[in-house]
């Protein structure tokens, strides 16, 4: 890298902040967090959040009544103290602060250290939580189990069925006595209760899982200073007395007071209900929990946590909305409604046919009026049962189950889903716009090359050839111009072996280099000589600090940006040399050479290698029809080198416009021209956050489903504008995370590809269940309607249909929703969001299976007595055996339909079946309970025992359409995975 020690000379730099007010210099002429697009948010959700923001008014006194639970174990004196500390950011704050002797007085009172923080031992943390409360607030609990039971009971068709069952129960008891007469109605009531409980348990468990995921989203990890070291902790572990570093994009984790900082600006819109950026310093030191750091950096002393803050008070009254419906759920609700309407028409037609047959005398009445009444109840009950089966309630349930399953798996793969619909939308992504640093690359940095003067240092920390003046100036700039910190264990030297360095990867690399050069970080930083700080941001691509000891301004930033502002440089002897054209070209060539070697040129350059697995992940995207675009603020040469290393740019691909562009060039184009070239772009270098936003807008105008990664505060607009915003969990700011749909916890591009794979799985699993349920629905309705029209007898009774409904709506949904992603998912092109849910292959599968099943069941219905060798039996018993065989065949048909739905495109339906233990368990459970229902619960289910031959025939009919279930397929599918 080219490290130039120079003076800006006469070159004006508006970005340095000396040509306007502080607000203008910091870029606050407009709200930097104003996001015009609310992507998918409902009016009700926006209203709730707006109310939450407007509840608080900074000018009114802090409210104490909600804090009695926290304070009830404290003495009156302690309670008054806690209240005074909690009221610091509000009301008569200055008077309270003066009472304690200012910030230094609070330091003594809270037994902390403004530089080193608290000791952080467990017993000390426990005492502080006991005295001042923990950084938690009561959550509104989710709906209880009985709420879900009540919701399940509200189903209209189940209510109608319950009324019919009660009437049948009353009639049976009246005519046959309570010992025998309760079987018909009681079995239906029991089946209804079972269905309701299964649905309620399933919904309740999914609700709990979503609440757990929401809790994960709230668990922010922050950095605190304890015992002189910067450590990462959960926001829930923060205590009063902690010292917290604040940087741009952070959320203020608790109420507190400003200790020290530079150009620290806080966005307080979340607390006062209006867009307002407030600069914090010793004159305006109060910080409110929940606000965001808009610019600058600093440290704060925590004075109140949890319910002793206004943010905690507001959030305790907010409940997380877990009722969001994804686009796929909305579409499936529409499909279910239409199918249900068709089913109701069929049920009504069956009712009409049965009524006509009853009044025409074709329905047999065995014993006078009582049987006539019972027959009327049956006529009214069976169409209701058909309606229950016809309505595919399991379709939306299947999406809920597969979303919950996929979200848990994504969490295991280091991806936290913040918005449900992002799961399925990610499966339709056509373009991924990703950052380079930390996403495609490791973001683990060390100094590789250093040019000081016109001399390349070898090794880069060799200072023997430098003058003491130059070396001192260099180390001064390294120590001052960083947000990182250095911790040296007691008794250790500073040779760098045991020194702990914290901060951004860039700062850590520079500090490690400075330590090897002999820098005494604490000695330099302990001198109170900083006049002003110019914070680094992605627009300026540099930051600086003014030192009043000799009025030095130390700059650090993109090498060519810093170089372009220099009029002279300092050689190895410490002499100032004029920066003429020849010398400028020397440094530019040095920067160009290092950038070509994948080195990022800052004040100091470092090697940033590609992450392991990224090249394979990029290739997987390309194979699946998804283009990857690299958007980076780095030098274009560096960006091209990394893009080739990652496989984004092919070695033979033309590395020129429009494949490779710089941000300022893209920015200068008209909307029409941008739209023309946007799909061809592979790499954008030296880009600003606004360039990324323009890129996303252009891609969406072209009809693409765009996924965008981001980590900075200024990435928020692009993350919001994208169809799927993916924030980085390690390097990402809180502003970026709150603007995102999914948080990538390990900052790895390979994890982004895993999320896309799970997103595709959500859509695929939903289609699997749709094929399964529609096949079962149509077959059940058709066989019942045919039988009703031809002989007035229904082969499947109420309890049997409810058992089939349970298999379809719950067990089937659970089995297929948890199907792991198939290997070929990433070999298919993305599915457009408005693509028909039922594909041509699904239509083919359903038509063939429905035709085979209806034919086989009809043969068994109309010729079953002869096929099952029942000619010599009493006709009533023969019909019971035949209907039991039809019921058994139907269930086994649905088992094979369930297995077939796993691989809709595969001839071998057993491929990979041993990976889904839940599916195998469900299939085994259905077969087991089917045996129990027939052989032991006949009185309740109106079935009779079958002999071995009858079992064989009914199962054979149930498997008759599955010629693909051959022994060869079964052997070769299980063998490789065993």
């Amino acid at each position: 890298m080219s490290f130039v020690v120079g003076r800006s000379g006469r070159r004006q730099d508006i970005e340095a902040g000396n040509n306007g007010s502080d607000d203008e210099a910091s870029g606050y002429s407009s709200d930097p967090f104003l996001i015009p697009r609310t992507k998918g948010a409902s009016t009700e959700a926006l209203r709730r959040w707006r109310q939450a923001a407007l509840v608080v008014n900074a000018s009114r006194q802090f409210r104490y009544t909600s804090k009695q639970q926290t304070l009830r174990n404290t003495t009156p004196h302690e309670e008054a103290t806690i209240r005074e500390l909690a009221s610091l950011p509000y009301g008569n704050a200055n008077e309270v602060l003066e009472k304690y002797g200012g910030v230094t007085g609070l330091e003594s009172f809270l037994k902390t250290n403004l530089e080193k923080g608290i000791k952080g031992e467990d017993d000390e943390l426990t005492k502080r939580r006991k005295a001042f409360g923990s950084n938690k607030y009561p959550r509104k609990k989710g709906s209880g189990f009985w709420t879900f039971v009540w919701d399940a009971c509200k189903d209209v068709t189940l209510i109608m069925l319950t009324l019919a069952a009660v009437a049948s129960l009353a009639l049976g008891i009246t005519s046959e006595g309570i010992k025998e007469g309760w079987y018909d109605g009681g079995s239906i009531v029991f089946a209804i209760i079972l269905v309701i409980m299964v649905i309620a348990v399933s919904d309740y468990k999914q609700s709990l899982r979503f609440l757990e995921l929401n809790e994960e989203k709230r668990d922010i990890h922050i950095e605190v200073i304890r015992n002189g070291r910067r450590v990462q902790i959960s926001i829930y572990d923060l205590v009063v007395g902690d010292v917290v570093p604040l940087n741009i994009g952070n959320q203020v984790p608790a109420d507190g007071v400003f200790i020290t900082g530079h150009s620290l600006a806080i966005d307080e819109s979340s607390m006062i209900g209006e867009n307002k950026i407030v600069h914090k310093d010793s004159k305006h030191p109060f910080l409110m929990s929940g606000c965001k750091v808009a610019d600058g950096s600093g440290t704060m002393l925590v004075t109140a946590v949890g319910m002793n803050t206004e943010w905690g008070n507001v959030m305790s009254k907010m409940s997380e909305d877990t009722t969001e419906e994804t686009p796929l759920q909305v579409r499936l609700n529409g499909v279910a409604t239409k199918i249900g309407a068709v089913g109701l028409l069929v049920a009504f037609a069956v009712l009409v046919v049965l009524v006509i047959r009853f009044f025409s005398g074709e329905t047999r009445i065995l014993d006078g009026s009582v049987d006539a009444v019972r027959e009327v109840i049956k006529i009214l009950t069976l169409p209701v049962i058909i309606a229950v089966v016809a309505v595919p309630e399991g379709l939306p349930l299947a999406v809920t189950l597969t979303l919950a399953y996929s979200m848990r798996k994504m969490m295991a793969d280091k991806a936290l889903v913040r918005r449900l619909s992002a799961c399925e939308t990610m499966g339709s992504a056509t373009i991924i716009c990703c950052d380079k640093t930390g996403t495609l690359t490791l973001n683990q940095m060390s100094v590789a090359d250093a040019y000081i003067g016109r001399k390349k240092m070898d090794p880069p920390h060799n200072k023997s050839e430098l003058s003491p003046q130059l070396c001192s100036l260099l180390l001064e700039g390294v120590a001052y111009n960083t947000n990182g910190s250095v911790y040296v264990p007691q008794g250790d030297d500073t040779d760098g072996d045991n020194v702990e360095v914290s901060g951004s990867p860039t700062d850590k690399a520079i500090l490690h280099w400075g330590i090897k050069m002999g820098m005494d970080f604490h000695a330099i930083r302990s001198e109170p000589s900083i006049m002003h700080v110019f914070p680094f941001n992605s627009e300026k691509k540099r930051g600086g600090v003014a030192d009043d000891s000799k009025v030095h301004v130390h700059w650090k930033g993109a090498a060519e940006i810093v170089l372009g502002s220099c009029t002279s440089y300092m050689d190895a002897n410490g002499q100032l040399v004029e920066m003429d054209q020849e010398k400028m070209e020397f440094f530019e060539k040095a920067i160009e050479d290092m950038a070509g070697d994948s080195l990022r040129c800052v004040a100091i350059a470092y090697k940033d290698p590609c992450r392991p697995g990224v090249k394979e992940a990029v290739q997987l995207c390309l194979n699946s029809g998804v283009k990857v675009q690299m958007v980076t603020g780095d030098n274009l040469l560096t960006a091209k080198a990394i893009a080739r290393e990652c496989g984004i740019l092919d070695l033979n691909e033309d590395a020129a416009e429009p494949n490779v562009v710089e941000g300022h060039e893209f920015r200068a184009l008209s909307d029409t021209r941008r739209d023309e070239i946007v799909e061809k772009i592979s790499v954008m270098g030296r880009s600003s956050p606004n360039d990324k936003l323009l890129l996303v807008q252009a891609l969406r105008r072209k009809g693409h489903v765009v996924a965008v990664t981001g980590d900075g505060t200024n990435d928020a607009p692009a993350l919001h504008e994208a169809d799927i915003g993916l924030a980085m969990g390690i390097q990402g700011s809180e502003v970026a995370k709150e603007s995102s749909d999914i948080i990538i916890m390990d900052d790895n591009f390979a994890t982004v590809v895993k999320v896309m794979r799970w997103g595709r799985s959500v859509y695929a699993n939903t289609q699997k269940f749709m094929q399964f349920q529609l096949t079962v629905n149509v077959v059940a309705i058709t066989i019942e309607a045919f039988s009703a029209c031809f002989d007035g007898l229904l082969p499947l009774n109420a309890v049997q249909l409810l058992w089939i409904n349970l298999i379809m709506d719950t067990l089937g949904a659970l089995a297929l929703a948890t199907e792991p992603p198939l290997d070929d998912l990433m070999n298919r092109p993305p599915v457009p969001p408005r693509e028909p849910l039922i594909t041509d292959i699904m239509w083919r599968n359903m038509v063939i299976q429905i035709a085979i099943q209806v034919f086989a069941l009809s043969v068994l219905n109309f010729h079953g007595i002869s096929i099952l060798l029942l000619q010599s039996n009493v006709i009533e018993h023969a019909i019971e055996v035949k209907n039991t065989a039809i019921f058994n065949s139907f269930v086994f048909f649905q088992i094979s339909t369930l297995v077939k739905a796993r691989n809709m495109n595969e001839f071998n339906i057993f491929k990979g079946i041993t990976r889904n233990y839940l599916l195998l368990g469900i299939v085994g459970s259905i077969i087991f309970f089917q045996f129990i229902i027939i052989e032991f619960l006949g009185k309740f289910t109106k079935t009779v025992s079958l002999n071995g031959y009858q079992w064989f025939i009914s199962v054979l009919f149930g498997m008759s359409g599955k010629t693909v279930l051959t022994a060869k397929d079964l052997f070769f599918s299980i063998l490789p995975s065993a």
Side-chain angles (χ1 to χ4, degrees), residues 262 476-477 479-482 529-534 543-547 552-556:
H262 306 289
E476 188 179 274
Y480 280 139
N481 202 7
T482 180
S529 57
I530 295 178
M531 295 172 59
H532 189 67
V533 172
F534 309 100
V545 57
D547 167 21
H552 290 151
V553 178
H554 301 282
W555 288 102
K556 178 184 71 179

Side-chain angles (χ1 to χ4, degrees), residues 26-37:
S26 302
Y28 295 126
S29 55
S30 61
D31 179 16
F33 303 109
L34 180 60
I35 309 298
R37 185 166 172 266

Side-chain angles (χ1 to χ4, degrees), residues 168-170 172-173 176-188 190 939-940:
S168 177
L169 183 64
I173 293 174
E176 301 177 23
I178 191 169
K179 187 174 182 180
E180 298 289 337
W182 68 275
Y183 288 133
D184 284 350
S187 59
I188 298 176
F190 175 77
K939 286 186 177 181
F940 303 100

Side-chain angles (χ1 to χ4, degrees), residues 585-719:
E585 289 175 356
F586 170 84
F587 288 118
E588 288 175 346
K589 179 66 167 58
I591 293 171
E592 186 175 315
D593 289 344
M594 287 187 293
D597 291 334
S598 300
L599 294 176
R600 183 192 231 177
C601 303
V602 201
I604 296 163
Y606 55 86
K607 177 70 173 175
D608 197 345
C610 224
R611 278 182 179 270
V614 163
K615 188 170 185 178
E616 293 79 5
V618 170
Q619 188 59 49
L620 201 59
C621 287
L622 298 177
N623 293 342
S624 64
V626 178
K627 184 179 177 66
V628 180
Q629 296 179 328
M630 177 197 289
V631 184
T632 178
D634 275 0
N635 182 294
L636 197 58
L637 288 172
T638 305
K640 287 192 289 188
I642 292 293
R644 284 199 173 98
E645 193 177 342
C646 295
I648 294 173
L649 269 179
D650 189 85
L651 293 176
N652 301 319
E653 190 173 352
D654 185 16
E657 192 178 336
N659 294 334
V660 176
V661 298
E662 285 198 342
H664 69 89
E665 296 171 351
F666 184 75
R667 193 185 320 142
L669 298 175
S670 64
D671 287 348
T672 303
R673 178 59 182 159
R674 282 196 209 108
D675 292 350
E676 290 175 359
I677 72 168
V678 69
E679 293 174 310
K680 300 176 183 177
I681 295 174
S682 294
V683 177
M684 182 185 290
R686 281 291 175 241
S687 68
S688 69
N690 189 54
D691 298 331
K692 185 186 286 189
L693 177 61
L694 293 173
L695 179 70
V696 172
Q697 291 172 337
L699 288 169
R700 297 188 79 239
R701 284 197 299 269
K702 297 289 288 185
H704 288 282
V705 178
V706 185
V708 169
T709 69
D711 54 15
T713 299
N714 289 332
D715 286 328
L719 291 171

Side-chain angles (χ1 to χ4, degrees), residues 923-934:
V923 169
S925 298
I926 292 173
I927 295 174
F928 172 76
F929 284 113
Q930 181 69 11
F931 178 79
I932 297 298
I933 285 171
I934 291 177

Side-chain angles (χ1 to χ4, degrees), residues 525-579:
R525 289 290 289 262
S526 63
E527 299 176 5
S529 57
I530 295 178
M531 295 172 59
H532 189 67
V533 172
F534 309 100
F536 180 93
N537 65 42
S538 55
E539 293 289 340
K540 297 182 296 186
K541 300 191 184 303
R542 63 172 177 168
V545 57
D547 167 21
D548 71 354
S549 60
K550 295 180 181 178
V551 196
H552 290 151
V553 178
H554 301 282
W555 288 102
K556 178 184 71 179
E560 64 269 36
I561 301 295
V562 174
L563 181 65
S565 299
C566 291
T567 58
S568 60
Y569 72 96
M570 186 172 284
D571 64 15
N573 297 320
Q575 300 298 315
L576 286 179
V577 181
E578 191 73 20
M579 184 76 78

Side-chain angles (χ1 to χ4, degrees), residues 215-322:
E215 195 62 28
E216 289 280 353
K217 289 189 288 187
R218 298 188 187 102
D219 189 7
I220 301 168
H221 280 74
I222 60 173
E223 195 174 62
V224 300
I225 300 174
R226 288 180 178 174
N227 203 24
R229 305 170 65 180
R230 292 197 181 195
V231 294
Q232 289 275 344
I233 65 168
S234 167
I235 194 171
Y236 299 139
D237 295 332
L238 195 69
V239 295
V240 170
D242 263 324
V243 174
V244 182
L246 297 174
N247 292 299
I248 184 170
N250 290 160
Q251 176 177 307
V252 179
D255 285 356
V257 293
F258 174 91
I259 300 173
T260 184
H262 306 289
S263 305
L264 184 63
I266 305 295
D267 174 19
E268 296 185 345
S269 58
S270 61
M271 293 301 291
I272 63 177
E274 61 185 56
N275 294 324
K276 187 176 181 180
I277 305 298
V278 180
H279 291 269
K280 298 296 180 179
D281 51 32
S282 57
K283 295 180 180 178
H284 305 90
F286 305 109
L287 297 157
M288 292 185 287
S289 175
C291 298
K292 303 294 188 301
V293 180
D295 201 4
S297 61
T299 56
M300 66 171 283
L301 173 63
V302 175
T303 58
V305 294
M307 284 302 295
N308 292 321
T309 69
E310 191 70 5
W311 177 258
N313 190 35
V314 171
M315 294 306 294
S316 67
K317 298 178 180 179
M318 296 287 291
S319 58
E320 186 80 20
D321 185 8
T322 59

Side-chain angles (χ1 to χ4, degrees), residues 825-840:
L825 269 181
M826 296 303 291
N827 294 324
R828 309 174 191 170
V831 178
R834 303 308 301 175
E835 186 82 0
L837 287 171
I838 304 178
T839 65
D840 293 341

